[in-house]
Amino acid sequence: MPAVLTITVARSGGFAGITRRWSVSAALDEADELIELVDACPWPRVAKDEVSRDRFVYVITVRAPRKRRSATVPESALTGPWKTLVNRVQEEPAEPAAPPTPPPSR
């Protein structure tokens, strides 16, 4: 099995407080574009936003063999490379949802 890079974005908060998730995965030897986007982000220097309320917060997680990065980015700081990375992950077609499980019959 080839080594895989997976990027997950979870957006929570906002007025309704609903969490949405997006994810993209690619074999490492085919993930050059994604790796460039990840490397462009300022991981150790995430801006804080202590003032805004009812705004979204993005938790961005990158997993690769022997490496994991995660950052919590407030909506006000979702600019530049962060925005480019999140937009790219959100562009990925969603996997079809599993069909609903019927309730047990009595």
Side-chain angles (χ1 to χ4, degrees), residues 1 4 7 14 19-20 23-24 37-38 40 45-46 67 71 106:
M1 176 177 253
V4 175
I7 304 170
T19 299
R20 292 203 49 204
S23 185
V24 63
L37 292 172
V38 168
R45 297 182 312 274
V46 178
K67 190 170 192 177
R106 293 183 188 197

Side-chain angles (χ1 to χ4, degrees), residues 38-72:
V38 168
D39 288 344
C41 292
W43 293 91
R45 297 182 312 274
V46 178
K48 303 292 182 210
D49 185 355
E50 305 290 334
V51 180
S52 297
R53 298 194 192 286
D54 295 331
R55 305 256 334 237
F56 292 117
V57 174
Y58 295 79
V59 177
I60 303 165
T61 305
V62 178
R63 289 186 184 94
R66 295 178 292 216
K67 190 170 192 177
R68 181 180 172 153
R69 287 183 148 168
S70 186
T72 300

Side-chain angles (χ1 to χ4, degrees), residues 23-45:
S23 185
V24 63
S25 293
L28 275 180
D29 58 353
E30 299 173 358
D32 292 341
E33 173 205 5
L34 295 172
I35 292 169
E36 285 179 25
L37 292 172
V38 168
D39 288 344
C41 292
W43 293 91
R45 297 182 312 274

Side-chain angles (χ1 to χ4, degrees), residues 4-6 8-9 12 16 28 38 40 42 47-48 52-53 61 67 71 79 83 85 87 103:
V4 175
L5 169 73
T6 301
T8 303
V9 174
S12 62
L28 275 180
V38 168
K48 303 292 182 210
S52 297
R53 298 194 192 286
T61 305
K67 190 170 192 177
T79 61
K83 180 113 177 121
L85 178 62
N87 286 343

Side-chain angles (χ1 to χ4, degrees), residues 71-85:
T72 300
V73 182
E75 183 179 30
S76 62
L78 194 71
T79 61
W82 290 120
K83 180 113 177 121
T84 303
L85 178 62

